[in-house]
């Protein structure tokens, strides 16, 4: 289906809705997206039946530095039992010490949208999960695993990357993914019919701002001006 169209002489730029976009959660993302919803399967695959299961599992993975301390303070008591006895607030205290975590909100009304800040409408929206990245992964990705501390600048950078991953995923679940065909149209002088010769085409542009979603980078320079006409 043609979404928008622009012409320059006998050259036509047609933008289409991409009916078979790639799920961005299959990419090599920085964050892990864990969601629960009664009707939709959202985010990354997981086997957590409840939020509590997720919190306990994440804390267990993150507590490498704290297990020894807990075991010393609780002779003979297993780490699993200690975690089970913790409140959700105590679990979150540990998680926030070892990971960058952002909430995920879904708006469901004539389409789906997701963000990390929430929506104004309380009836058609609500929190559906979290996206997170551990400090260990951040170190491996940006600053070297040998460093102990995560700077505020690095933490902020990680948050921005997570927000961008959510934005792209929101475009995906909302159907805001596009492709284009750039064609040259020729008219037959005898019959008046038209034929098209494809100059270029590409698919998989997430978001409907064609100035920033990458579409401009794939169009021959002499025809980039057509994007302004869309």
């Amino acid at each position: 289906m043609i979404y928008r169209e622009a012409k320059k002489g006998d050259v036509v730029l047609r933008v289409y809705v991409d009916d078979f976009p790639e799920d961005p959660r299959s990419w090599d993302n920085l964050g892990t997206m864990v969601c629960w919803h009664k009707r939709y399967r959202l985010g990354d695959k997981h086997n957590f039946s409840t939020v509590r299961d997720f919190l306990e599992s994440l804390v267990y993975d993150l507590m490498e530095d704290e297990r020894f301390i807990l075991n010393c303070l609780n002779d003979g008591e297993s780490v699993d039992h200690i975690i089970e006895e913790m409140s959700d607030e105590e679990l979150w205290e540990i998680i926030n010490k070892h990971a960058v975590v952002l909430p995920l909100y879904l708006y469901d009304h004539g389409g789906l949208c997701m963000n990390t800040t929430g929506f104004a409408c309380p009836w058609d929206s609500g929190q559906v999960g979290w996206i997170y990245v551990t400090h260990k992964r951040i170190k491996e990705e940006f600053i070297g695993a040998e460093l102990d501390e995560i700077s505020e600048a690095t933490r902020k950078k990680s948050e921005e990357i997570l927000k961008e991953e959510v934005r792209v995923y929101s475009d995906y679940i909302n159907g805001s993914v596009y492709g284009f065909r750039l064609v040259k149209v020729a008219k037959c002088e005898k019959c008046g019919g038209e034929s098209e010769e494809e100059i270029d085409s590409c698919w998989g542009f997430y978001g409907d701002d064609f100035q920033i979603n990458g579409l401009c980078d794939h169009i021959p320079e002499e025809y980039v001006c057509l994007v302004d006409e869309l």
Side-chain angles (χ1 to χ4, degrees), residues 196-209:
E196 296 182 354
E197 177 186 356
E198 185 173 289
I199 300 172
D200 203 353
S201 65
C202 194
W203 300 84
F205 300 100
Y206 293 74
D208 56 8
D209 188 335

Side-chain angles (χ1 to χ4, degrees), residues 116-158:
T116 62
T117 57
F119 298 91
C121 177
W123 297 279
D124 296 320
S125 67
Q127 186 174 354
V128 292
W130 293 271
I131 185 169
Y132 72 92
V133 58
T134 65
H135 286 186
K136 181 180 179 181
R137 175 73 193 281
I138 293 172
K139 292 174 186 177
E140 293 171 347
E141 190 73 19
F142 299 123
I143 59 178
E146 72 279 0
L147 297 180
D148 293 330
E149 299 296 328
I150 300 293
S151 70
E152 187 60 31
T154 300
R155 184 180 180 88
K156 188 67 176 177
K157 178 180 179 181
S158 301

Side-chain angles (χ1 to χ4, degrees), residues 171-189:
D171 289 332
Y172 169 72
I173 62 177
N174 192 42
S176 296
V177 187
Y178 305 93
F180 77 85
R181 290 184 69 240
L182 186 67
V183 300
K184 186 174 183 178
V185 179
K187 190 171 184 178
C188 177
E189 296 181 357

